[in-house]
Amino acid sequence: MKLGHRLAHINMMIPNGYTHIWDCCCDHGLLGAALLDRHAAMIHFVDIVPALMQQLTAKLERFYPQQNPPKWQVHCSDVSAISLDQDEHTPLVIIAGVGGDLMIEFVNSLCQQYSDRSIDFLLCPVHHQYELRQQLIKLDCELIDEKLIEENRRFYEIIYVTRSNSSSQINSDSTTAKISAVGTKFWQCSNDQERDIAKRYLNKVLTHYQKINLSNPQKVSQTLQDYLAIKALI
C-alpha cells in the first residue's frame, strides 16, 4: 500500500546505514514494509496488540519471505521492553502515532536502560510536542533534523534526534544542533507553501495555549511566551 504523507516523510528522513531499525507502535506495518524495500537493516515491528501482530506476521511472511539471515522480526511488546542489545551499532527507534506524553515514558525508559550507548530516535507525536521536546532537552539529546507536515487537516512535527556522548554513527557527517522546545528548522520557511503551513500551525498552537492560559496561566505562561516569540519570525 502507498504510504500516506506523514509516513512518507518519516521514511524519507531515514538515511541508509542503520543495522537495526525499530518501527514502534507500527499498527499495520506500512512504514516498516517501506523500510524493508529500501534498507539492508533488520526491521523490527513493535506493537502491543496481539491481533495486529498476528495479522502483520502473516502479511510479512507472504510478501517478504524470510531470508538467511532474516530481515525482519515482529515483537508483540511494550516499547519500553524492546531489547537494543542486538549489536554495537547505533539503533534507530521510530515512535509515531501516539501522544507525546506516552513517548516521554518510552524514551525515558530506553535512555535509562541503555544509558551507556547511543540511540537515535525519530518521533512523531500526535500532541504534547512542547513537553516531549522539553524532556528530550533534559535527556541531553541533540537535534538531527525536524519537519512540520500536514495530513488530513492535522499537523505533525517529525523530530529526529540522537542521544549519545558523541555524534551518531549514522549521522557522523551531519551537524547536530540543540533542541528547541518550540522547534527551529520548520519555522525557517523556504517557500509560500511551507510558510502557509507554519502560520496555520502556529495559530492553532497559540489558540490552544491561550485558552488554557485563561484558566491556568501559571501552567502555560512560559510555553505561550515561547510560541509568541516565533510569531514575529514567520
Side-chain angles (χ1 to χ4, degrees):
M1 293 179 64
K2 184 179 179 181
L3 292 180
H5 193 54
R6 177 176 60 98
L7 292 182
H9 269 272
I10 293 174
N11 184 34
M12 287 188 294
M13 289 175 70
I14 301 170
N16 293 322
Y18 288 105
T19 55
H20 288 267
I21 299 177
W22 297 78
D23 180 12
C24 301
C25 308
C26 67
D27 198 22
H28 298 288
L30 297 179
L31 175 61
L35 293 172
L36 277 172
D37 290 333
R38 57 175 281 251
H39 274 273
M42 165 69 80
I43 309 299
H44 299 266
F45 297 81
V46 183
D47 205 295
I48 202 168
V49 183
L52 281 177
M53 293 296 92
Q54 291 170 4
Q55 295 171 11
L56 178 56
T57 300
K59 290 179 180 178
L60 289 170
E61 289 174 343
R62 178 182 176 187
F63 295 107
Y64 299 92
Q66 283 288 22
Q67 304 171 8
N68 190 17
K71 300 305 299 176
W72 54 265
Q73 291 182 7
V74 173
H75 308 265
C76 188
S77 168
D78 187 280
V79 175
S80 300
I82 63 176
S83 174
L84 300 180
D85 288 325
Q86 303 286 334
D87 64 12
E88 72 278 7
H89 297 103
T90 302
L92 174 64
V93 178
I94 307 166
I95 312 175
V98 297
D101 49 352
L102 187 55
M103 281 189 191
I104 289 172
E105 292 182 23
F106 291 153
V107 172
N108 276 344
S109 178
L110 293 174
C111 286
Q112 289 172 8
Q113 292 178 65
Y114 301 98
S115 58
D116 59 342
R117 67 171 304 161
S118 300
I119 308 173
D120 290 353
F121 292 98
L122 190 50
L123 308 170
C124 186
V126 296
H127 49 65
H128 294 155
Q129 292 87 349
Y130 186 89
E131 293 81 1
L132 173 62
R133 286 173 171 274
Q134 284 186 313
Q135 188 57 36
L136 293 173
I137 293 169
K138 290 179 182 178
L139 290 168
D140 293 323
C141 292
E142 290 285 322
L143 183 71
I144 299 171
D145 198 6
E146 60 186 2
K147 300 284 184 184
L148 174 65
I149 65 112
E150 183 181 16
E151 180 182 57
N152 297 329
R153 298 183 180 181
R154 296 194 66 170
F155 299 98
Y156 296 93
E157 294 182 23
I158 307 173
I159 311 166
Y160 187 15
V161 301
T162 184
R163 197 295 308 266
S164 65
N165 294 324
S166 58
S167 296
S168 164
Q169 295 176 13
I170 304 302
N171 295 282
S172 58
D173 295 332
S174 301
T175 301
T176 58
K178 290 185 178 181
I179 298 170
S180 164
V182 295
T184 305
K185 289 187 175 182
F186 52 69
W187 303 120
Q188 300 166 5
C189 307
S190 60
N191 56 59
D192 290 341
Q193 182 181 18
E194 290 181 357
R195 191 169 294 105
D196 174 65
I197 292 173
K199 285 184 176 180
R200 288 188 291 110
Y201 177 56
L202 181 59
N203 286 336
K204 181 178 180 180
V205 171
L206 285 172
T207 299
H208 169 71
Y209 283 112
Q210 284 166 345
K211 287 181 180 178
I212 297 175
N213 192 58
L214 292 174
S215 58
N216 193 352
Q218 291 184 338
K219 183 178 180 181
V220 298
S221 60
Q222 185 59 55
T223 308
L224 190 55
Q225 288 179 37
D226 290 345
Y227 279 111
L228 284 170
I230 296 294
K231 193 168 186 179
L233 302 178
I234 59 173

